[in-house]
Amino acid sequence: MSTTTSLSDAGSAPVGARSSSVTLSFPGRPPVQVNALWLRDNCPCQSCRIEATTEHRTLISQTPVDLIPVRLTNHDDGIRVDWGTHQSEYSAGWLDDVRSQAQRDLPLAQAWPQGFTPPRFGYADIMRDPDVELAFLDAFGSFGAAIATGTPTEPGSLEPFIDRWAPPHEVPFDRIHDVYVNPVGYNVAHTAEALPPHNDMASRIQPPSGQILHMLVNDATGGDTILVDGFAVVANLSEAHRALLASVPVAFRQFSTTSETWARSPLLRMDRNGNPVHLRYSNQLLQALDPLDLDTGPWYEAYHQLSTLLTDRSNQSHFRLNGGDLLMVYGHRVLHGRTEFSPASGERHLQDIYFEFDDVMNEAYRLRHLAGPAQRRNR
Ligand SMILES: [Fe+2]
Ligand SMILES: [Zn+2]
């Protein structure tokens, strides 16, 4: 049961009531009802907050769970709340600030239009013009894929590129992953075979959420790049199949002579509103499920539907990466693959590096809202 305390009836709520609420009436504003524990926890005073860093200092466990104010009084343009053991002062501006902080989020996934290919931005423009740089990062955030054209084709150039916004995410195998035909390679990517859409490192509990695919040279016939918006595909799964893919854990493995990765996890993670936040898919790395497990049959039907949708040409974006094209993908959303190519027809060499999507998006936020030119990373 919840009780309400307002300016007129402060302290009248019955002792022992839990989840009490407090009505805040700032001058010239409609009253808002807020939870009492929330109000106490967000006291902006210098003893409750470390001012320079905005960090909490007080612990919510230091107040009783059934806390109610003793008295509310108007104070200048704000409201003073007497909690008995502490006095807090709140203003309308404070309420606007904390609400805007509470509503902050990473960019919303924007649906790909018909015939989508990742937006392209010139490397020199991204480096020189802060507006183009932010437009590139915004496109990456909303579509989960963007291309920088005309990038340096020296091996290793992708590392300073991503480090402009975020540190690379190191994984076993290599810091920078070379993709070319390699007879002693540890992955089907090291052949000229077609690669079905997948995200890398499904064999880790936390696969990196961002990936760069940097084409250094592409003189081969074939080998077009394939992308799939995994979140759009998940939206087209049946409800029952989504539930199975989000609950039955399955294992993936990738190994070489020097590294071993293995992890078991459901293919899908959803948020509380039923929106996908992470699709994990790698046909090449999936390990056998236990055939005697009762989940295996139903799971395979769901997996069949997922695989059918991911490999349906109408759900795929096909395009060619040429030497100097650098593709950035949000790996938890966007799957990548390629068509078969002819190694005899010419050289094809791609490099990969990983990073975290939120690091890049938060650096874009900082560049847009907080940082002056002197505070920019690596400039
Ligand atoms: Fe890959
Ligand atoms: Zn305080």
Side-chain angles (χ1 to χ4, degrees):
M1 175 172 163
S2 104
T3 56
T4 298
T5 306
S6 66
L7 271 174
S8 52
D9 62 0
S12 68
V15 173
R18 295 165 84 91
S19 298
S20 60
S21 58
V22 180
T23 303
L24 299 176
S25 300
F26 294 108
R29 296 235 187 161
V32 280
Q33 213 174 71
V34 302
N35 177 269
L37 286 176
W38 176 89
L39 188 63
R40 176 66 190 85
D41 197 35
N42 285 286
C43 174
C45 87
Q46 286 185 27
S47 84
C48 293
R49 291 268 164 184
I50 300 167
E51 199 176 6
T53 62
T54 76
E55 290 164 290
H56 280 268
R57 182 180 280 123
T58 48
L59 286 154
I60 195 63
S61 55
Q62 291 167 334
T63 65
V65 69
D66 53 1
L67 175 76
I68 51 170
V70 173
R71 188 179 306 105
L72 273 70
T73 45
N74 285 320
H75 161 71
D76 297 333
D77 282 345
I79 296 167
R80 176 176 286 153
V81 176
D82 181 356
W83 298 104
T85 53
H86 190 72
Q87 305 270 329
S88 302
E89 285 172 12
Y90 304 97
S91 67
W94 159 86
L95 183 63
D96 294 341
D97 280 355
V98 288
R99 290 206 67 209
S100 124
Q101 285 164 31
Q103 288 162 15
R104 176 172 168 177
D105 210 342
L106 291 171
L108 277 182
Q110 203 174 312
W112 291 359
Q114 194 71 31
F116 172 85
T117 58
R120 290 171 170 261
F121 299 82
Y123 168 79
D125 296 331
I126 295 170
M127 294 295 135
R128 188 179 52 222
D129 183 341
D131 291 336
V132 177
E133 178 182 17
L134 284 174
F136 171 73
L137 297 176
D138 287 347
F140 169 63
S142 50
F143 295 121
I147 293 173
T149 60
T151 60
T153 54
E154 294 299 310
S157 302
L158 73 182
E159 187 168 349
F161 184 85
I162 191 57
D163 204 36
R164 185 175 173 88
W165 305 293
H169 176 140
E170 294 223 45
V171 296
F173 308 101
D174 313 295
R175 179 182 178 83
I176 295 173
H177 177 60
D178 279 290
V179 180
Y180 49 76
V181 176
N182 179 356
V184 296
Y186 55 85
N187 185 283
V188 64
H190 300 128
T191 70
E193 288 182 34
L195 283 180
H198 64 280
N199 31 39
D200 284 15
M201 297 290 154
S203 50
R204 299 182 79 224
I205 287 176
Q206 288 291 354
S209 55
Q211 178 169 357
I212 281 179
L213 299 101
H214 185 206
M215 191 64 79
L216 302 180
V217 50
N218 191 4
D219 295 334
T221 307
D224 285 352
T225 296
I226 302 170
L227 294 185
V228 176
D229 182 352
F231 289 178
V233 161
V234 166
N236 288 319
L237 290 167
S238 73
E239 188 66 46
H241 286 169
R242 253 198 310 270
L244 278 161
L245 296 175
S247 59
V248 177
V250 295
F252 295 88
R253 181 185 182 214
Q254 180 169 236
F255 63 96
S256 70
T257 51
T258 56
S259 297
E260 171 75 19
T261 57
W262 179 94
R264 179 177 282 136
S265 171
L267 291 189
L268 189 56
R269 197 156 51 83
M270 311 282 285
D271 70 14
R272 63 189 302 186
N273 300 317
N275 299 312
V277 290
H278 184 187
L279 175 65
R280 180 189 303 253
Y281 183 86
S282 178
N283 181 64
Q284 44 276 47
L285 302 186
L286 179 70
Q287 302 298 288
L289 281 73
D290 185 342
L292 303 188
D293 190 323
L294 293 178
D295 286 328
T296 297
W299 183 86
Y300 253 96
E301 285 180 26
Y303 186 56
H304 187 278
Q305 192 193 18
L306 175 66
S307 178
T308 302
L309 289 170
L310 292 176
T311 51
D312 182 337
R313 181 66 177 77
S314 69
N315 289 328
Q316 297 182 341
S317 168
H318 282 229
F319 54 93
R320 187 170 177 83
L321 288 177
N322 292 305
D325 288 344
L326 181 153
L327 169 65
M328 234 160 87
V329 294
Y330 176 16
H332 286 187
R333 170 186 176 187
V334 174
L335 285 68
H336 63 274
R338 66 159 188 244
T339 61
E340 182 186 6
F341 65 95
S342 158
S345 61
E347 191 188 355
R348 188 181 191 277
H349 184 185
L350 175 76
Q351 288 194 314
D352 295 323
I353 200 166
Y354 305 103
F355 60 91
E356 291 305 325
F357 176 75
D358 49 326
D359 285 343
V360 171
M361 291 298 97
N362 288 328
E363 179 64 4
Y365 177 92
R366 203 177 71 86
L367 291 175
R368 177 168 277 129
H369 299 293
L370 308 173
Q375 294 156 316
R376 296 186 153 212
R377 184 184 164 84
N378 298 329
R379 292 153 213 251

